[in-house]
Amino acid sequence: MAKKGLSIQALYDLCRKTFSLSGTHPPSSQAINKLSSLLDTIGPADVGLREDNPEDDRGHGIFGLNGFNRIARWAQPITYLDIFECNSFTMCIFCFPTSSVIPLHDHPGMTVLSKVLYGSLHVKAYDWVEPACIQKGKGSGYFTEELESAKREKPYILALFLQPLSYLGNQQLRLAKLAVDKVLTAPVETSILYPKSGGNLHCFTAVTPCAVLDVLAPPYQEAAGRKCTYYHDYPYSSFCNFPEWVVDLNFTAATGNGAEISGKEEEYAWLAEIETPDDLYMRQGVYAGPAIQV
């Protein structure tokens, strides 16, 4: 029988070996795959968690935590457990109550390995279309000549433009392609995202109470340009200057700046940067698993 704490200690040791302290030498794919294989062997008990934790699905009632801090019953906290953090990597756990959400956000220049320890989690993730395809907000009543022509020839196309660019003011939208849209149910293999592939921008929604063990390398650090930015995703057809792309669901089109997009319309979305959502309700917990020897 494996000694208690061996798995999480082995994970720390391998992370320390894999990720350069200077951050100047990205790990090889073989090294990342080795980490992923080790993460695959880790379960809730290895990090001090129980699948039947009664706190996972608690609500605070309509009156909130107290009379001055009203929180709706569905606003249940996601618990963050810090296992280890240094300049080169972070090991942490997120414990989700049912239906809780970490909104769509990015991981600039980061590699992230995520292991669902128990429960079911829906993951929706995107990667940026490269070269960057930018759409800018327009003034009220904005329509291209092409759209006006299409309106005369095909009046029904107007239904595809119920969210005009004027809704965004001067905000920018950037085109992204869907990379992942599925439910992960433990036991399941570790997911990996990279700086430019694998779904670097993702959203987590708890289908059931669940927990995710994350390894982030390097960790978020705003001074180093690794700020966590949140986004809202809009269907591709919502903000499109080229009506012929909208009506042709199996399209191949140049974006005008060297990027080419091909496939189905639903595989693409426009992402708009937003402020940290007010309903992101997260609390700091205490890691109760085996101590790591550093």
Side-chain angles (χ1 to χ4, degrees):
M1 183 179 292
K3 190 176 180 180
K4 185 178 180 181
L6 182 60
S7 294
I8 199 68
Q9 182 66 47
L11 179 63
Y12 164 81
D13 291 339
L14 189 55
C15 285
R16 187 60 101 170
K17 179 180 178 181
T18 301
F19 301 116
S20 168
L21 291 176
S22 65
T24 57
H25 300 93
S28 66
S29 58
Q30 292 86 350
I32 293 297
N33 288 336
K34 189 174 181 180
L35 261 177
S36 177
S37 296
L38 179 54
L39 272 166
D40 287 342
T41 69
I42 296 178
D46 295 309
V47 290
L49 295 180
R50 293 188 357 238
E51 295 186 44
D52 60 348
N53 188 343
E55 290 193 354
D56 277 347
D57 237 5
R58 71 178 186 171
H60 294 297
I62 195 64
F63 295 109
L65 294 175
N66 57 59
F68 301 99
N69 183 16
R70 292 174 179 264
I71 298 173
R73 184 171 182 78
W74 55 85
Q76 303 168 25
I78 298 168
T79 302
Y80 173 81
L81 307 175
D82 183 20
I83 301 176
F84 177 81
E85 182 171 355
C86 65
N87 288 332
S88 56
F89 67 93
T90 292
M91 296 166 54
C92 61
I93 299 171
F94 294 91
C95 298
F96 296 79
T98 301
S99 300
S100 57
V101 178
I102 295 182
L104 185 64
H105 61 283
D106 64 355
H107 305 82
M110 299 160 63
T111 298
V112 181
L113 297 92
S114 299
K115 171 65 189 300
V116 178
L117 297 170
Y118 64 81
S120 295
L121 181 76
H122 179 256
V123 180
K124 188 174 186 180
Y126 297 93
D127 288 310
W128 294 121
V129 169
E130 297 289 355
C133 181
I134 304 296
Q135 180 80 275
K136 293 184 179 181
K138 303 291 183 179
S140 177
Y142 169 78
F143 287 105
T144 64
E145 291 182 7
E146 292 158 309
L147 178 55
E148 292 291 351
S149 174
K151 284 167 58 184
R152 291 189 294 271
E153 297 175 9
K154 302 175 181 179
Y156 64 85
I157 200 173
L158 184 60
L160 295 172
F161 285 81
L162 295 179
Q163 291 181 297
L165 286 170
S166 57
Y167 282 20
L168 291 176
N170 294 320
Q171 191 174 9
Q172 283 193 160
L173 295 158
R174 184 172 174 182
L175 190 63
K177 185 173 184 180
L178 188 66
V180 180
D181 189 8
K182 63 182 179 182
V183 174
L184 302 178
T185 299
V188 65
E189 291 184 350
T190 299
S191 300
I192 309 172
L193 65 83
Y194 299 93
K196 295 187 177 181
S197 64
N200 186 271
L201 304 97
H202 67 201
C203 171
F204 285 167
T205 303
V207 179
T208 69
C210 58
V212 179
L213 171 59
D214 271 357
V215 174
L216 302 89
Y220 286 112
Q221 188 177 54
E222 191 167 348
R226 295 189 301 274
K227 175 187 175 183
C228 182
T229 302
Y230 291 90
Y231 295 87
H232 182 82
D233 56 338
Y234 295 93
Y236 178 81
S237 60
S238 297
F239 303 103
C240 184
N241 282 331
F242 300 89
E244 63 269 24
W245 298 5
V246 179
V247 296
D248 180 9
L249 297 184
N250 291 292
F251 65 94
T252 298
T255 60
N257 63 348
E260 185 172 285
I261 51 181
S262 61
K264 295 185 177 181
E265 177 187 319
E266 56 264 29
E267 295 175 352
Y268 293 87
W270 296 103
L271 305 190
E273 183 177 334
I274 61 173
E275 297 294 329
T276 301
D278 292 335
D279 57 355
L280 177 56
Y281 183 29
M282 195 172 297
R283 66 174 182 180
Q284 180 78 44
V286 178
Y287 170 65
I292 291 175
Q293 303 301 315
V294 299

